Amino acid sequence: MLPCEALNGSSELEDAPQPLKCFAVHTRTKSSPKWEEVSIMDEKNIPIRTYQVCNVLEPSQNNWLRTDWIPRSGAQRVYVEVKFTLRDCNSLPGVTGTCKETFNLYYHESNEDRESYIKESSFIKVDTVAADESFTQVDVGDRIMKLNTEVRDVKVTTKKGFYLAFQDVGACIALVSVRVFYKTCPLTIRNLATFPDTVTGADTSSLVEVRGSCVNRSEEREEPKMYCGADGEWLVPIGGCFCSPGYEERGGACKACTAGFYKARSVDPACAKCPPHSYSLRDGATVCDCHTGYFRADSDPASMSCTQPPSAPQQLISVVNETSVVLEWAPPRRLGGRSDAIYSVECLICKSSGRRSISNSQTCLPCGSDVLFSPSQLGLRTTRVVVSELKAHTRYTFTVHARNGVSRASGAGSAPSVSVSVTTNQAAPSPVSMIQVLDVTRHSLLLSWQQPDRPNGVILEYEVKFYEKDQKERSYRIMRTFSQTVDVTGLSPLTVYVFHVRARTAAGYGDFSSPFEFSTNSDPFPLIGEGVNSAFLLLRAAKNIYITYGAVQLIYSHSSLLSSLLSLLLPTGVKIYVDPFTYEDPDQAIHDFAKEIDVSSIHIEKVIGMGEFGEVCSGRLRLQGKREIYVAIKSLKAGYSDKQRRDFLSEASIMGQFDHPNIIRLEGVVTRCKPLMIITEYMENGSLDAFLRKHDGQFTVIQLVGMLRGIASGMKYLSDMNYVHRDLAARNILVNSNLVCKVSDFGLSRVLEDDPEAAYTARVGHIPIRWTAPEAITYRKFTTSSDVWSYGIVMWEVVSYGERPYWDMNNQDVMKAVEEGYRLPAPMDCPVVLHQLMLDCWERERAERPSFSQILNMLDKLIRNPGTLQVCVSVVPEACVPEWSVYEWLQSIGLEIYRETFAAAGYNNLESLLALTHQ
Ligand code: AMP
């Protein structure tokens, strides 16, 4: 292998390594380079060139060796793999003090590929590299040299390329090879979208958002997107493409439907067999053609069989009733494979001469528009129609036609039909349709009307019936007249009368007209009625408000009794949370649930955080007759509104109802003097997210599970009390000095209710999207099951040491990805069982998520059987081996006092614990 080499590109993709010359760096001392190019044999006895330096006897060594310029080719973070051997100082006699066992790796970014003079100070240090293995004998021939491989990564974003340099400070080293590479997320196809080979981001936690392009013969369903993670893994596929019509997905590509198959729409999942009476001869059909004699309507879906027009309706019968005819028929014998047959009725009046002829002796004309068809003349779906308003003593011919969706497509002329001829009988005149008033006096009304639309003969007279409206028809009067007007006299002044008129022919009286109301007073009376109605409605509305308000009052004023009532109704031991917002008087709630503390017993020490309402301080509390304790003090900043005061105190009213080792304990409140304060127990390690980030990688799996167990236990307690937290997240868990985790922050439950639009608008400020279950975001359905979802996210935060869920994706993308079924992957070194439990908490159906009680049982089982936590999702198997001892296990379950007992009984390692029985 060559002494210095660089790989220009990703480890997966690039060509052979490029040899590079090594240059000396200009050092302060300007001494000549002490690195030497030396040939040695590698472990397969192949000669290789190395760079060596070994000035262990001289003090203050500063020997530099640098590579040629390495273009960064778009990479933002490069990895440098150095293979080297290093001599153990102890094995060199008489070198104490001067011999070193490390060397330093430097880089210098530059646009120039031929910098001949680079100052030492221009180089930035990457790391001091030490050997995992050093060797003690110089005898290379005996193969005692131990080859070390160390990889370091460095962000190179500012220039076109960079130089690497190795600084020896007095060690005995041989550089065998240097490999420089960067990582890419390889070209891939996901959801029918191609994602190009993508260079990873500059930082170890950065995600590069990449837009995919639809594969050939496909179209976009929703913008395809994925994120390229720093380790070269693709994450969070969103959106994707559908195969175009005529194509289906096979092996990640879109392939044409074969003959006999078709695909009509891109959203259809696959090609389907041609439906009955159709065929496709060529590949890639989007629709199948109909066999001869079969048709498809414009509105027929491609998946429907080809069909035929119907045959004629059957068995048409008619029943004549004066001037109406009822026609009834049976459906066609053949419906053509469809169920959309409709009928139309043609009506002809047949006389002795005319344009259209039904028989030799008759000529027929269309009936005209005054004939009525019920339910209709065209587009009938029933097989019965009533034809009325026909002329008396007239011969009609009715023809019923049958059609269906393909009648027009079939191109056949007139639709198949069946006919019948009837003659109508003598009939009474139709009713008068309109009565008008021509003149009004205090005692008379002059009325007029039109002849009926169908007199059905000569009108012999009209009959007028009228009565006082208030009397109804109990007493009415009748007047008869030959003309179409009547002067009704002898009426009472200021009285409303109702009038009906009917006509008489030789066939008898027709029906009375509908009622017409006129008053001897010309005031339009309906307005009076409307006025009364609205007043009544107003009165009713007012009454409703009054009643509702009354009910609310009732609830408010008695809610303090609610908990006592509930406790009587519920089995003993079951405590139910009471919402302080149901109290009319918030001070009453505080009084019921929190203890008032005298401000003189509080000693504030320092500010430890910033809450929503003001500063959070730590301090001491000494209550009479009790020992002094450390406390956290939240205060309400000056200039608060009534609402802020109420919201601030509500947290204490909620917290004060809980009593559990994993729920933050309320010591009391200060409400009698300002500032208002809430005093809680002090949690030395602050919030869990910040605590984990600070101690990244420092806990054993069992310790992490111990923390999760505590949180689950607190949440089980809250859910048993019917309390829904709504903002469960690592930032709202506090940790004390014994690593006990306690649920805190009981503020969010109300904030959301105050803002019903919050979930639907862009302003999702109050909803912690990344932690919240989809149904809670969409429908504001907050339940213990949505708290379980959030608990799953907390598990992920804990196992990943405070990583941000869904990294730097935006809220919209998170919601979309979760909606499409994406779930957070297992964090590094996460035991499979824990990730499975997270996935269970993130079931889409909330009924399928586990309860807190089940989660607690599961975690208890894991703690009791630490072996189950060894199987991990990580790709690096060594990372799965738990590092904890029996003592740490006992500590995590709070039983460290039994350390000696376990040791005495021979339980020295975790494997031995697996054999532990109940006895
Ligand atoms: P909060 O208003 O509850 O979100 O509190 C703001 C910050 O104050 C938290 O993130 C913690 O860092 C700190 N804090 C709140 N309560 C306590 C406590 N009981 N013990 C220690 N630190 C606390």
Side-chain angles (χ1 to χ4, degrees), residues 303-364:
S303 57
M304 193 172 141
S305 323
C306 291
T307 53
Q308 292 179 305
S311 57
Q314 311 177 80
Q315 300 149 25
L316 174 63
I317 50 166
S318 60
V319 178
V320 180
N321 178 11
E322 296 185 349
T323 55
S324 336
V325 177
V326 177
L327 299 172
E328 263 183 285
W329 60 93
R333 199 163 48 80
R334 280 181 292 103
L335 288 168
R338 309 181 62 94
S339 54
D340 59 349
I342 51 166
Y343 307 98
S344 59
V345 181
E346 192 184 5
C347 172
L348 297 172
I349 296 178
C350 297
K351 291 185 181 153
S352 50
S353 69
R355 279 185 289 128
R356 289 178 63 182
S357 178
I358 282 282
S359 67
N360 290 339
S361 57
Q362 284 187 328
T363 305
C364 300

Side-chain angles (χ1 to χ4, degrees), residues 156-315:
V156 283
T157 49
T158 59
K159 301 281 166 58
K160 282 193 210 146
F162 57 92
Y163 294 90
L164 293 174
F166 305 88
Q167 182 198 26
D168 165 52
V169 287
C172 199
I173 324 159
L175 275 187
V176 175
S177 80
V178 179
R179 207 163 66 91
V180 184
F181 59 95
Y182 59 84
K183 293 189 181 177
T184 63
C185 293
L187 174 121
T188 187
I189 294 179
R190 246 3 122 76
N191 298 337
L192 291 176
T194 310
F195 292 87
D197 188 42
T198 304
V199 178
T200 57
D203 296 308
T204 47
S205 68
S206 64
L207 298 178
V208 180
E209 185 182 312
V210 183
R211 200 188 177 291
S213 46
C214 292
V215 299
N216 269 349
R217 303 287 185 184
S218 74
E219 43 204 63
E220 200 168 294
R221 160 168 58 102
E222 196 187 336
E223 185 183 6
K225 260 202 301 190
M226 253 203 306
Y227 291 88
C228 174
D231 55 355
E233 294 284 330
W234 286 106
L235 292 164
V236 204
I238 301 175
C241 310
F242 286 134
C243 286
S244 306
Y247 291 82
E248 67 180 352
E249 181 177 355
R250 262 178 264 147
C254 292
K255 299 278 166 56
C257 301
T258 50
F261 286 78
Y262 77 103
K263 198 183 103 175
R265 299 168 310 160
S266 49
V267 291
D268 295 335
C271 300
K273 217 164 173 300
C274 283
H277 309 299
S278 70
Y279 63 95
S280 71
L281 296 177
R282 269 193 241 119
D283 287 356
T286 56
V287 69
C288 299
D289 297 327
C290 290
H291 289 145
T292 318
Y294 286 86
F295 310 93
R296 189 173 273 134
D298 292 345
S299 58
D300 285 353
S303 57
M304 193 172 141
S305 323
C306 291
T307 53
Q308 292 179 305
S311 57
Q314 311 177 80
Q315 300 149 25

